[in-house]
Amino acid sequence: SQDFMRNADVAMYSAKGGGKRGYAIFEPGMHTSLLQRVELEGDLRRALASQEILVHYQPIVTLESARIEGVEALARWTHPRRGPIPPNEFIPVAENTGLIVALGKSILREACRQVRAWQLEVPGCRYLTASVNLSLKQVMDPELVDDVSDALREAGLAPEHLMLEITESVLMERTEASIHRLH
Protein backbone atom coordinates (compact mmCIF):
# COMPACT_ATOMS: atom_id res chain seq x y z
CA SER A 1 0.00 0.00 0.00
CA GLN A 2 2.84 2.41 0.85
CA ASP A 3 4.63 1.45 -2.38
CA PHE A 4 1.42 2.07 -4.31
CA MET A 5 1.09 5.60 -2.89
CA ARG A 6 4.77 6.33 -3.54
CA ASN A 7 4.43 5.12 -7.13
CA ALA A 8 1.30 7.23 -7.59
CA ASP A 9 3.20 10.28 -6.30
CA VAL A 10 6.07 9.61 -8.69
CA ALA A 11 3.63 9.33 -11.63
CA MET A 12 1.87 12.53 -10.51
CA TYR A 13 5.14 14.51 -10.48
CA SER A 14 6.02 13.09 -13.86
CA ALA A 15 2.63 14.18 -15.23
CA LYS A 16 3.04 17.68 -13.76
CA GLY A 17 6.42 17.96 -15.45
CA GLY A 18 4.75 17.32 -18.79
CA GLY A 19 2.50 20.38 -18.58
CA LYS A 20 -1.18 21.00 -18.02
CA ARG A 21 -3.74 18.29 -18.64
CA GLY A 22 -1.05 15.63 -18.78
CA TYR A 23 -1.04 12.19 -17.27
CA ALA A 24 1.56 9.53 -16.60
CA ILE A 25 1.43 5.83 -15.92
CA PHE A 26 3.98 4.66 -13.37
CA GLU A 27 6.98 2.80 -14.69
CA PRO A 28 9.83 1.53 -12.49
CA GLY A 29 12.35 3.84 -14.18
CA MET A 30 10.36 6.88 -13.03
CA HIS A 31 11.47 6.41 -9.44
CA THR A 32 15.14 6.43 -10.43
CA SER A 33 14.56 9.45 -12.65
CA LEU A 34 12.86 11.33 -9.79
CA LEU A 35 15.70 10.54 -7.40
CA GLN A 36 18.22 11.78 -9.96
CA ARG A 37 16.28 15.03 -10.39
CA VAL A 38 16.11 15.55 -6.61
CA GLU A 39 19.86 14.94 -6.35
CA LEU A 40 20.51 17.32 -9.26
CA GLU A 41 18.36 19.98 -7.58
CA GLY A 42 20.42 19.71 -4.37
CA ASP A 43 23.64 19.86 -6.37
CA LEU A 44 22.34 22.87 -8.29
CA ARG A 45 21.51 24.73 -5.08
CA ARG A 46 25.04 24.05 -3.83
CA ALA A 47 26.53 25.07 -7.19
CA LEU A 48 24.71 28.40 -7.09
CA ALA A 49 25.86 29.06 -3.52
CA SER A 50 29.49 28.19 -4.33
CA GLN A 51 29.47 29.95 -7.72
CA GLU A 52 30.28 26.78 -9.69
CA ILE A 53 28.10 27.90 -12.57
CA LEU A 54 30.17 30.05 -14.86
CA VAL A 55 29.31 32.36 -17.73
CA HIS A 56 30.70 31.46 -21.13
CA TYR A 57 30.42 33.92 -23.99
CA GLN A 58 29.39 33.10 -27.53
CA PRO A 59 30.44 35.84 -29.97
CA ILE A 60 27.84 37.56 -32.12
CA VAL A 61 29.51 38.43 -35.41
CA THR A 62 28.32 40.80 -38.14
CA LEU A 63 28.87 38.91 -41.38
CA GLU A 64 29.54 41.98 -43.55
CA SER A 65 32.45 43.22 -41.44
CA ALA A 66 33.36 39.95 -39.66
CA ARG A 67 33.44 42.05 -36.47
CA ILE A 68 32.33 40.82 -33.08
CA GLU A 69 29.44 43.13 -32.21
CA GLY A 70 28.38 41.42 -29.02
CA VAL A 71 28.39 38.28 -26.93
CA GLU A 72 25.65 36.01 -25.69
CA ALA A 73 26.02 35.01 -22.04
CA LEU A 74 25.57 31.27 -21.52
CA ALA A 75 25.41 29.42 -18.21
CA ARG A 76 27.81 26.47 -18.00
CA TRP A 77 28.15 24.08 -15.08
CA THR A 78 30.97 21.66 -14.38
CA HIS A 79 29.87 19.35 -11.57
CA PRO A 80 32.74 18.39 -9.22
CA ARG A 81 31.98 14.64 -9.58
CA ARG A 82 29.99 14.30 -12.80
CA GLY A 83 31.87 16.79 -14.95
CA PRO A 84 30.06 19.09 -17.40
CA ILE A 85 26.26 19.12 -16.98
CA PRO A 86 24.51 20.13 -20.22
CA PRO A 87 22.24 23.20 -19.97
CA ASN A 88 19.29 21.15 -21.25
CA GLU A 89 19.68 19.06 -18.10
CA PHE A 90 20.14 21.72 -15.41
CA ILE A 91 18.14 24.67 -16.81
CA PRO A 92 14.78 22.80 -16.63
CA VAL A 93 15.57 21.86 -13.01
CA ALA A 94 16.36 25.51 -12.29
CA GLU A 95 13.07 26.52 -13.97
CA ASN A 96 10.94 23.97 -12.11
CA THR A 97 12.41 24.83 -8.70
CA GLY A 98 12.48 28.62 -9.09
CA LEU A 99 16.30 28.63 -8.90
CA ILE A 100 16.28 30.16 -12.38
CA VAL A 101 15.67 33.61 -10.87
CA ALA A 102 18.85 33.51 -8.75
CA LEU A 103 20.80 31.91 -11.61
CA GLY A 104 19.54 34.52 -14.07
CA LYS A 105 20.44 37.37 -11.74
CA SER A 106 23.96 35.99 -11.36
CA ILE A 107 24.40 35.58 -15.14
CA LEU A 108 23.05 39.10 -15.77
CA ARG A 109 25.43 40.72 -13.26
CA GLU A 110 28.48 38.83 -14.51
CA ALA A 111 27.69 39.48 -18.19
CA CYS A 112 27.33 43.22 -17.60
CA ARG A 113 30.55 43.32 -15.59
CA GLN A 114 32.55 41.34 -18.15
CA VAL A 115 31.29 43.24 -21.21
CA ARG A 116 32.07 46.56 -19.54
CA ALA A 117 35.59 45.31 -18.73
CA TRP A 118 36.09 44.29 -22.38
CA GLN A 119 34.78 47.68 -23.54
CA LEU A 120 37.39 49.43 -21.38
CA GLU A 121 40.32 47.06 -21.92
CA VAL A 122 40.10 45.64 -25.46
CA PRO A 123 40.70 47.90 -28.46
CA GLY A 124 37.71 47.97 -30.82
CA CYS A 125 35.23 46.70 -28.20
CA ARG A 126 33.89 50.09 -27.14
CA TYR A 127 30.39 49.29 -28.46
CA LEU A 128 30.28 45.60 -27.52
CA THR A 129 26.87 44.37 -26.32
CA ALA A 130 25.84 41.63 -23.91
CA SER A 131 22.85 39.41 -24.72
CA VAL A 132 21.24 37.68 -21.75
CA ASN A 133 18.37 35.21 -21.97
CA LEU A 134 15.40 35.67 -19.64
CA SER A 135 13.02 32.90 -18.64
CA LEU A 136 9.31 33.38 -17.95
CA LYS A 137 9.94 33.21 -14.19
CA GLN A 138 12.54 35.96 -14.48
CA VAL A 139 10.23 38.17 -16.55
CA MET A 140 7.45 37.68 -14.00
CA ASP A 141 9.75 38.32 -11.03
CA PRO A 142 8.78 41.69 -9.48
CA GLU A 143 12.47 42.45 -8.87
CA LEU A 144 13.50 42.09 -12.54
CA VAL A 145 13.56 45.83 -13.29
CA ASP A 146 15.65 46.53 -10.17
CA ASP A 147 17.95 43.59 -10.96
CA VAL A 148 18.63 44.88 -14.48
CA SER A 149 19.10 48.44 -13.26
CA ASP A 150 21.44 47.32 -10.45
CA ALA A 151 23.51 45.12 -12.80
CA LEU A 152 23.95 47.99 -15.28
CA ARG A 153 24.80 50.51 -12.57
CA GLU A 154 27.25 48.23 -10.73
CA ALA A 155 29.07 47.40 -13.98
CA GLY A 156 28.95 50.95 -15.36
CA LEU A 157 27.42 49.53 -18.55
CA ALA A 158 25.17 51.79 -20.64
CA PRO A 159 21.66 50.29 -21.08
CA GLU A 160 21.97 50.28 -24.88
CA HIS A 161 24.76 47.71 -24.51
CA LEU A 162 22.50 45.12 -22.86
CA MET A 163 20.12 42.97 -24.91
CA LEU A 164 17.52 40.97 -22.99
CA GLU A 165 16.37 37.98 -24.99
CA ILE A 166 13.08 36.19 -24.49
CA THR A 167 11.38 33.34 -26.29
CA GLU A 168 7.93 33.62 -27.85
CA SER A 169 6.62 31.36 -25.08
CA VAL A 170 7.33 34.10 -22.52
CA LEU A 171 4.98 36.47 -24.33
CA MET A 172 2.39 33.78 -24.99
CA GLU A 173 2.20 32.61 -21.37
CA ARG A 174 1.27 35.88 -19.63
CA THR A 175 1.14 38.37 -22.47
CA GLU A 176 -0.05 41.58 -20.78
CA ALA A 177 2.00 41.12 -17.61
CA SER A 178 5.12 40.22 -19.62
CA ILE A 179 4.79 43.22 -21.92
CA HIS A 180 4.22 45.53 -18.96
CA ARG A 181 7.30 44.21 -17.13
CA LEU A 182 9.45 44.46 -20.24
CA HIS A 183 8.44 48.09 -20.81
Side-chain angles (χ1 to χ4, degrees):
S1 168
Q2 197 172 22
D3 286 347
F4 177 78
M5 292 303 290
R6 186 197 70 204
N7 294 348
D9 269 352
V10 168
M12 177 188 66
Y13 285 113
S14 178
K16 283 183 176 181
K20 293 181 179 178
R21 298 189 182 147
Y23 69 92
I25 298 170
F26 177 79
E27 296 174 22
M30 285 180 169
H31 192 277
T32 304
S33 176
L34 179 62
L35 289 176
Q36 288 171 343
R37 274 195 310 256
V38 168
E39 182 181 341
L40 188 64
E41 178 186 339
D43 289 348
L44 183 57
R45 287 182 190 283
R46 183 190 45 73
L48 280 170
S50 62
Q51 299 178 335
E52 276 177 27
I53 299 175
L54 301 177
V55 182
H56 288 208
Y57 299 92
Q58 180 172 305
I60 300 169
V61 178
T62 300
L63 293 178
E64 294 131 10
S65 66
R67 268 186 59 195
I68 296 175
E69 300 289 332
V71 292
E72 181 177 4
L74 304 169
R76 294 295 181 260
W77 180 22
T78 302
H79 192 281
R81 290 185 329 275
R82 294 176 51 195
I85 307 287
N88 64 346
E89 193 174 324
F90 76 85
I91 296 292
V93 173
E95 282 278 353
N96 291 335
T97 59
L99 293 172
I100 195 70
V101 174
L103 175 60
K105 188 185 297 191
S106 171
I107 300 297
L108 174 68
R109 278 197 151 94
E110 177 57 23
C112 288
R113 186 203 62 75
Q114 182 61 67
V115 165
R116 183 60 182 148
W118 283 330
Q119 286 178 341
L120 295 171
E121 298 166 11
V122 179
C125 286
R126 185 173 167 198
Y127 299 106
L128 192 70
T129 62
S131 293
V132 178
N133 296 306
L134 296 180
S135 73
L136 175 62
K137 286 190 174 155
Q138 288 174 275
V139 171
M140 297 317 302
D141 181 31
E143 295 180 15
L144 175 66
V145 174
D146 289 338
D147 290 343
V148 170
S149 180
D150 291 347
L152 290 168
R153 185 178 32 73
E154 289 168 12
L157 186 68
E160 61 268 21
H161 296 286
L162 175 63
M163 307 294 172
L164 299 175
E165 297 186 358
I166 59 171
T167 62
E168 309 80 47
S169 61
V170 169
L171 288 177
M172 292 173 66
E173 188 73 27
R174 307 243 333 248
T175 306
E176 285 185 37
S178 295
I179 291 171
H180 175 68
R181 183 72 37 83
L182 292 171
H183 278 296

